[in-house]
């Protein structure tokens, strides 16, 4: 039996007693209070206020008002049995221009949030960057410029100085692939630029920013601090077994995964990346010592997973399918892979159009563990959007989401059974929220939010997940939950 093969659930699956059961959010998606207490615009404020960039002109100005309702939200987390909560800090809330001293009112919000979490027995898992670069830094060139990496390291130290006595679990970046290649390559994310060379420069400086931040955090935090990065690694599969399709998968793996794993885990870029993109750049922006700086020791690695990536080589005279699941654009987020086609597998899909295939999570966890034996792994994001409907009694019954999460927790447990050191699982997301370029049209939350009143209502999936989190046990699926 291979890691990805499914076997019927005939017995209870028990997770380790110290397993992290959490949910995750991001600052711009939930906080609101966009202009309060010294906060200035981030690239997502600018992008969402630009006509045509976000569904129906939605913005995160109010989002779900977590900035004012965080105590209510922590109570919800406690009711849902969570023992960990992954959130991000808004850079422009605590250091509005990306330079200079911190704004204490901004830091005070996170101090209050962390104190509330700790009082509820919930471990805070802090992410320093979830895509919301201060607009002033973008105006100065953004992630394609080396100075942004240096500014990020200074910002990381500011936050560590303020919260290091309260927070043990730190993540530098969330999904830098999206920041670099959707933000600067395809343009479907902020800042909306469409330059493949800028995307590659951004990728390098995000790697550098991560490494410099880890160095700064090690110096600023107590010895027991746990440092990590969260990557949306792609489980890349060739459409067929042909040599051409395997080569297509290799190229997507290189620019989707190895562009991060090489520097961050091994202190080097793969030569294949340079060869694949030689027609775009000579990578002269990589300075001596950069990749060594990026390759700092980590205490764990966060892996975000939603669906596999299926690819093929475009045949002569054939149209190139571009449905890679990352939003429509005339520009590719895959530099050096213009002749690779993307395919969506048959079978059930989420409201995002993403195929449901939990085997990819088992395979991904197993592959990363084999590459770096002994490095603890955490599923730092996994979840699904569905067309949730509020019933006549005000309840939200979402059996599709229960089935999705159940299947993916089974996938995690298979990896654990195979000896993969998976230490936790964070459901995406705690709350319905601003889903980036999709605005408020896609709901990922375990908790339903009425965007008119901002009332919170736990869905049936939240109640189901609470039972799993409290017991640490995964039982056979129950259609009547």
């Amino acid at each position: 039996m291979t890691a990805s093969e499914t076997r019927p659930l005939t017995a209870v699956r028990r997770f380790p007693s110290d397993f992290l059961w959490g949910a995750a959010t991001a600052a711009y998606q939930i906080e609101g209070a966009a202009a309060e207490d010294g906060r200035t615009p981030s690239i997502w404020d600018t992008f969402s206020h630009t006509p045509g960039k976000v569904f129906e002109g939605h913005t995160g100005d109010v989002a779900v008002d977590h900035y004012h309702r965080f105590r209510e939200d922590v109570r919800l987390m406690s009711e849902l049995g969570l023992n960990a909560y992954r959130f991000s800090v808004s850079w422009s809330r605590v250091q509005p221009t990306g330079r200079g001293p911190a704004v204490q009112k901004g830091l005070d919000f996170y101090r209050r949030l962390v104190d509330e979490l700790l009082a509820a027995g919930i471990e805070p898992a802090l992410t320093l960057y979830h895509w919301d670069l201060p607009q002033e830094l973008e105006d100065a060139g953004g992630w394609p410029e080396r100075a942004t990496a240096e500014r990020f390291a200074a910002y990381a130290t500011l936050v560590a100085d303020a919260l290091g006595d309260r927070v043990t679990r730190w993540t530098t970046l969330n999904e830098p692939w999206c920041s670099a290649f959707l933000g600067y390559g395809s343009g479907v994310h902020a800042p909306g630029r469409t330059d493949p060379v800028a995307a590659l420069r951004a990728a390098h400086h995000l790697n550098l920013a991560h490494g410099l931040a880890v160095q700064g955090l090690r110096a600023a935090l107590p010895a027991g601090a746990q440092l990590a990065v969260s990557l949306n690694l792609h489980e890349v599969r060739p459409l067929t077994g042909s040599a051409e399709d395997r080569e297509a998968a290799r190229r997507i793996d290189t620019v989707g995964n190895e562009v991060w794993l090489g520097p961050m885990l091994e202190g080097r870029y793969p030569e294949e990346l340079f060869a694949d993109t030689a027609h775009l750049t000579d990578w002269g922006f990589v300075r001596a010592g950069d990749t060594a700086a990026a390759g700092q020791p980590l205490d764990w690695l966060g892996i975000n997973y939603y669906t596999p990536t299926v690819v093929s080589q475009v045949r002569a005279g054939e149209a190139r399918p571009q449905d890679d699941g990352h939003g429509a654009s005339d520009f590719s987020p895959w530099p050096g892979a213009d002749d690779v086609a993307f395919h969506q597998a048959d079978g059930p899909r989420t409201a995002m159009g993403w195929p449901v295939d939990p085997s990819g999570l088992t395979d991904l966890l197993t592959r990363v563990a084999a590459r770096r034996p002994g490095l603890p792994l955490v599923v730092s994001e996994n979840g699904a959007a569905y067309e949730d409907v509020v019933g006549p009694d005000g309840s939200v019954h979402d059996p599709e989401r229960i089935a999705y999460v159940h299947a993916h927790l089974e996938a995690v447990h298979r990896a654990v059974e195979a000896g993969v050191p998976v230490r936790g699982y964070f459901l995406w997301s705690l709350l319905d929220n601003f889903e980036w370029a999709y605005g408020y049209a896609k709901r990922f939350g375990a908790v339903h939010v009425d965007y008119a009143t901002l009332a919170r209502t736990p869905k049936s999936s939240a109640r189901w997940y609470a039972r799993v989190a409290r017991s640490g046990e995964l039982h056979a699926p129950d259609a009547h939950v």
Side-chain angles (χ1 to χ4, degrees):
M1 179 178 290
T2 65
S4 62
E5 286 178 335
T6 302
R7 61 177 172 79
L9 181 59
T10 57
V12 174
R13 293 184 185 269
R14 292 183 175 84
F15 286 81
S17 60
D18 58 352
F19 197 78
L20 290 174
W21 294 101
T25 63
Y28 188 72
Q29 293 183 272
I30 66 166
E31 283 182 1
E36 291 189 35
D37 294 334
R39 184 186 181 278
T40 57
S42 73
I43 55 176
W44 269 99
D45 294 274
T46 302
F47 189 79
S48 65
H49 280 271
T50 302
K53 296 296 186 182
V54 173
F55 177 78
E56 293 190 351
H58 295 171
T59 75
D61 290 358
V62 175
V64 298
D65 198 31
H66 176 73
Y67 190 76
H68 298 110
R69 297 168 183 256
F70 71 91
R71 291 186 176 86
E72 174 188 354
D73 293 338
V74 172
R75 285 196 298 274
L76 278 170
M77 296 177 214
S78 183
E79 291 172 10
L80 298 182
L82 304 185
N83 60 26
Y85 172 54
R86 179 174 173 250
F87 65 96
S88 76
V89 173
S90 166
W91 189 346
S92 61
R93 191 178 295 286
V94 304
Q95 194 188 35
T97 65
R99 298 177 177 84
V103 172
Q104 291 304 312
K105 285 186 177 181
L107 286 173
D108 285 344
F109 166 69
Y110 296 106
R111 291 185 178 106
R112 292 191 298 270
L113 171 62
V114 168
D115 287 348
E116 198 78 10
L117 291 167
L118 293 174
I122 299 169
E123 180 179 0
L126 184 153
T127 299
L128 285 163
Y129 186 74
H130 199 132
W131 307 352
D132 46 357
L133 185 72
Q135 183 60 45
E136 288 199 23
L137 292 185
E138 174 60 24
D139 293 342
W143 284 112
E145 297 302 319
R146 185 182 192 85
T148 305
E150 297 164 349
R151 298 270 58 79
F152 179 73
Y155 152 71
T157 301
L158 285 179
V159 180
D161 288 343
L163 297 173
D165 62 335
R166 297 166 166 86
V167 177
T168 299
R169 193 173 294 271
W170 294 74
T171 298
T172 55
L173 307 172
N174 178 78
E175 298 187 355
W177 185 88
C178 295
S179 297
F181 296 113
L182 300 183
Y184 294 92
S186 67
V188 299
H189 278 193
R193 289 162 63 178
T194 55
D195 179 349
V197 177
L200 293 169
R201 290 175 61 93
H204 174 63
H205 293 132
L206 284 156
N207 277 320
L208 180 61
H210 159 76
L212 295 177
V214 170
Q215 290 177 332
L217 292 170
R218 292 282 184 212
L221 293 172
Q226 298 285 303
L227 305 188
V229 64
S230 286
L231 304 176
N232 60 317
L233 297 176
H234 301 79
E235 176 57 26
V236 186
R237 295 171 172 174
L239 182 66
T240 74
S242 71
E244 294 81 6
D245 287 358
R246 291 198 305 272
E247 170 61 12
R250 195 277 309 159
R251 275 184 288 160
I252 296 304
D253 181 68
T254 298
V255 77
N257 299 329
E258 292 303 318
V259 67
W260 315 111
L261 293 175
M264 290 182 179
L265 297 187
E266 298 163 358
R268 63 172 183 82
Y269 284 110
E271 290 300 321
E272 294 87 348
L273 178 64
F274 297 150
D276 291 345
T277 57
H279 63 293
L280 296 170
T281 177
D282 63 1
W283 289 78
F285 45 83
V286 179
R287 298 183 186 176
D290 281 2
T291 53
Q296 298 299 308
L298 297 176
D299 298 295
W300 54 282
L301 176 65
I303 293 178
N304 298 354
Y305 173 86
Y306 294 91
T307 189
T309 301
V310 180
V311 300
S312 68
Q313 175 72 33
V314 176
R315 275 64 172 179
E318 176 180 81
R320 174 178 176 255
Q322 294 180 295
D323 188 7
D324 66 355
H326 294 295
S329 174
D330 293 332
F331 300 89
S332 172
W334 306 96
D338 290 339
D339 56 352
V340 173
F342 293 82
H343 306 267
Q344 295 293 337
D346 295 332
R349 298 191 185 195
T350 70
M352 297 292 289
W354 298 342
V356 178
D357 187 347
S359 72
L361 180 54
T362 307
D363 290 348
L364 184 59
L365 292 167
T366 303
R367 179 161 55 87
V368 173
R371 176 177 183 149
R372 181 51 72 88
L375 177 64
L377 305 178
V378 170
V379 178
S380 43
E381 283 186 27
N382 175 246
Y386 286 104
E387 302 294 341
D388 300 322
V389 177
V390 180
D393 61 353
S395 65
V396 182
H397 185 47
D398 56 342
E400 300 92 348
R401 185 173 290 105
I402 293 173
Y404 178 99
V405 177
H406 188 285
H408 285 78
L409 285 175
E410 281 194 82
V412 172
H413 196 272
R414 288 190 194 96
V416 172
E417 284 184 318
V420 177
V422 186
R423 304 296 192 229
Y425 176 93
F426 287 84
L427 179 67
W428 185 270
S429 176
L430 175 68
L431 301 158
D432 289 337
N433 55 49
F434 177 84
E435 184 49 38
W436 307 113
Y438 295 94
Y440 298 99
K442 305 296 183 185
R443 293 179 177 269
F444 276 87
V447 176
H448 179 274
V449 177
D450 182 323
Y451 293 127
T453 66
L454 298 179
R456 276 85 157 135
T457 303
K459 304 173 189 177
S460 56
S461 62
R463 303 301 185 194
W464 174 86
Y465 186 62
R467 288 195 286 275
V468 175
R470 289 196 181 98
S471 67
E473 296 179 348
L474 187 66
H475 294 257
D478 182 355
H480 304 291
V481 172

